Amino acid sequence: MERIGARALSLGVPLGVHVDLTWRCNERCIHCYLDHDDPAELTLAELKGLLDQMADAGVFFLTLSGGEIFLRKDLRDIVAHARSRAFDIKLKTNAILIKERDAEWIRDLGVHQVQVSIYSHRAEVHDAITKVPGSLGRSVAALRMLREKGVRTVIACVLMTGNAGDYPGVQALARELGAEFTMDPTITPHLNGDRSILSLNVGQGKLGEVFRDSTLVGDVDKFLSESIPVDEDVLDQTPCSAGHTSCYVSPHGDIYPCVQFPVVCGNVRESAFLDIWRDSDRMLEVRAIRTRDLTTCSSCGHAGSCTRCPGLAYMEGNSMYGPSTADCEKSYVRTGIVTAGMLRKGTVGGLVQISGLAY
Amino acid sequence: MNPLYPKRDPNAAFRVLGGEAIVMNPVDSALFSLNETASVIWRASDGSRSLAEIVESDVCGQFEVEPAAAMSEAIAFAEALAAHGVLTLSDAPAGSV
């Protein structure tokens, strides 16, 4: 996979694209970063044209997400067209609208994976997060049916204050349902700039527990101690795949470098996909950034091993060149070593060892 | 030996990047990266032409290879992909009775 990514990078190919087909949703998850209005979604004809352009541009990994994708009545036609262009397809859904006939066409069309969000194995916790009574039962029933039909399934669990202790239960549920399991401990700001939902992020204590769970991180000692010396190679690295081998398309055709990086680079109703990908000023700006260009992180000892997300940095208000507070915290919790971003913000004042020394 | 007619599995995902194909089997998530010669065979594998025809016209026409050796390698390649379920090998063209 690494070799394929490197090849795509050298050829300037957007290997993976995440397309949100709609922002409408039948759940109201408390941590969701989207508006759920209907901003003139791309029509079926427009989406078919876009998929053709993306296939011609070399896009291979296609994620169809939302919002809730099964609220689009033309979803099957969209997926069928995408499969006719040989994309590798992942669907992201809450699954509560999936019927037996849907599971059958998903299998028959050769969809690679269906990823379903499950926040807890306990209905009272999951349903409180989605704000839809009965949603856990319906999602689990759909997961079971998909598996019975031979569809590969993934359970995705976002960790937040309300479900912080439940992920082992969700892992067990995934095993029972024959699904893969993935967990994300990061809550992202709302696309409209509202950062109030960041209060749902779990604290450093829980993050530390997660980082010491071998079922999630593999070799715990290696994970906690991994450190890459900051040399010229590190400083020449690109921050992530956003804008380099991947990008995002919103329901109304805006292209961002990533779903978590809402810098509008163009709109497919006004310009060709490949023109935006290759020539948009914003995309070129994102693509030009190297670690050495980062205002604070370039002088940080974590620069070689940090999971810094430029989109998170941007949405946190630190610009695409600044540090991401959430990722600074992860680096600190993982290693116990303060980051340059934390020093700059003065958040180290609260650290026990500093105040202890002062006394 | 009867002619072999290779046909891509319609559920296999693939893309050709700079002449080299990547192929994904959605059933088991197996990912294959094919070299240029193998990619030529993969792209031509629509079930209408035999492997021998593809090797003779497409492979030997584009690459400086010895036909017998190319055919031998093509058979091994096609059988390997068939074993992974992303290619079917028939003894008649697709659509024929």
Side-chain angles (χ1 to χ4, degrees):
Chain A
M1 189 57 223
E2 209 169 295
R3 202 181 76 82
I4 292 169
R7 182 161 180 76
L9 185 64
S10 70
L11 293 168
V13 168
L15 191 61
V17 175
H18 175 136
V19 179
D20 273 353
L21 297 175
T22 181
W23 282 347
R24 290 173 290 134
C25 196
N26 49 2
E27 291 184 339
R28 284 293 179 271
C29 297
I30 57 175
H31 62 289
C32 187
Y33 54 88
L34 295 174
D35 283 319
H36 294 300
D37 57 357
D38 180 359
E41 293 168 1
L42 295 176
T43 63
L44 175 61
E46 287 174 318
L47 280 164
K48 284 183 174 179
L50 172 62
L51 291 168
D52 289 341
Q53 291 181 54
M54 285 165 42
D56 293 342
V59 177
F60 181 54
F61 298 108
L62 176 65
T63 300
L64 298 177
S65 184
E68 175 44 50
I69 55 174
F70 280 86
L71 287 174
R72 280 201 67 136
K73 303 300 180 197
D74 51 7
L75 177 63
R76 180 180 179 166
D77 294 328
I78 296 166
V79 175
H81 189 78
R83 283 298 301 125
S84 76
R85 297 305 309 262
F87 288 100
D88 178 80
I89 298 177
K90 175 191 274 193
L91 303 180
K92 290 187 175 182
T93 171
N94 59 40
I96 65 178
L97 293 175
I98 295 181
K99 306 285 191 297
E100 188 172 1
R101 63 178 179 277
D102 299 311
E104 287 170 352
W105 70 249
I106 289 169
R107 175 200 59 203
D108 294 345
L109 285 174
V111 169
H112 186 177
Q113 282 183 331
V114 177
Q115 179 174 307
V116 179
S117 300
I118 299 290
Y119 305 109
S120 172
H121 57 297
R122 298 184 293 155
E124 65 271 27
V125 175
H126 176 92
D127 295 358
I129 290 171
T130 64
K131 296 186 185 174
V132 176
S135 56
L136 177 65
R138 293 171 69 181
S139 293
V140 168
L143 275 160
R144 188 167 279 121
M145 182 173 57
L146 286 161
R147 200 68 196 124
E148 285 170 0
K149 297 292 181 188
V151 177
R152 293 178 73 86
T153 53
V154 180
I155 285 179
C157 180
V158 176
L159 200 66
M160 62 194 100
T161 51
N163 68 349
D166 284 12
Y167 80 82
V170 182
Q171 275 180 308
L173 180 63
R175 282 194 295 273
E176 180 204 325
L177 295 171
E180 293 173 38
F181 174 81
T182 177
M183 195 191 68
D184 185 349
T186 307
I187 303 293
T188 56
H190 197 284
L191 280 183
N192 66 13
D194 179 9
R195 296 177 213 166
S196 63
I197 55 175
L198 297 184
S199 64
L200 297 171
N201 268 311
V202 297
Q204 293 182 0
K206 190 67 199 177
L207 209 51
E209 283 179 40
V210 167
F211 286 174
R212 285 164 179 78
D213 184 337
S214 62
T215 66
L216 297 173
V217 303
D219 184 334
V220 173
D221 290 339
K222 182 168 181 267
F223 179 78
L224 295 178
S225 64
E226 190 165 48
S227 176
I228 299 171
V230 181
D231 56 16
E232 291 299 309
D233 287 343
V234 165
L235 292 173
D236 282 337
Q237 282 177 356
T238 56
C240 68
S241 67
H244 295 274
T245 57
S246 64
C247 69
Y248 165 83
V249 183
S250 79
H252 50 292
D254 279 344
I255 293 187
Y256 306 166
C258 170
V259 63
Q260 293 189 348
F261 200 165
V263 173
V264 179
C265 299
N267 187 287
V268 296
R269 282 180 165 138
E270 296 160 5
S271 307
F273 171 81
L274 197 53
D275 288 344
I276 298 169
W277 171 258
R278 282 183 177 161
D279 302 325
S280 149
D281 289 342
R282 302 309 301 275
M283 197 68 86
L284 291 173
E285 181 184 5
V286 169
R287 200 170 288 153
I289 298 173
R290 297 293 179 271
T291 301
R292 68 172 69 254
D293 303 318
L294 304 179
T295 51
T296 302
C297 304
S298 58
S299 62
C300 182
H302 292 285
S305 55
C306 182
T307 56
R308 176 185 176 275
C309 169
L312 266 180
Y314 176 80
M315 291 174 75
E316 287 172 1
N318 290 325
S319 95
M320 64 177 85
Y321 296 90
S324 150
T325 305
D327 289 307
C328 280
E329 185 173 72
K330 283 183 199 149
S331 286
Y332 171 65
V333 170
R334 188 174 65 80
T335 63
I337 300 169
V338 174
T339 70
M342 295 168 81
L343 284 168
R344 195 194 67 157
K345 283 187 74 174
T347 51
V348 291
L351 293 176
V352 173
Q353 65 269 33
I354 303 295
S355 55
L357 284 172
Y359 286 97
Chain B
M1 183 182 177
N2 290 330
L4 292 172
Y5 291 83
K7 185 173 188 294
R8 294 185 300 271
D9 186 279
N11 280 349
F14 74 96
R15 195 65 74 223
V16 180
L17 303 180
E20 295 186 0
I22 46 177
V23 180
M24 173 73 83
N25 182 353
V27 176
D28 63 2
S29 296
L31 184 64
F32 306 91
S33 178
L34 312 185
N35 66 20
E36 276 192 70
T37 318
S39 298
V40 166
I41 297 172
W42 172 263
R43 294 175 76 169
S45 294
D46 60 5
S48 69
R49 292 194 293 157
S50 72
L51 192 56
E53 289 175 80
I54 294 169
V55 169
E56 184 183 344
S57 65
D58 296 13
V59 176
C60 294
Q62 289 184 44
F63 303 95
E64 285 188 22
V65 288
E66 198 273 311
M71 188 61 202
S72 172
E73 285 190 31
I75 291 172
F77 161 74
E79 288 178 341
L81 286 194
H84 282 285
V86 291
L87 196 73
T88 54
L89 294 172
S90 305
D91 55 9
S96 63
V97 180

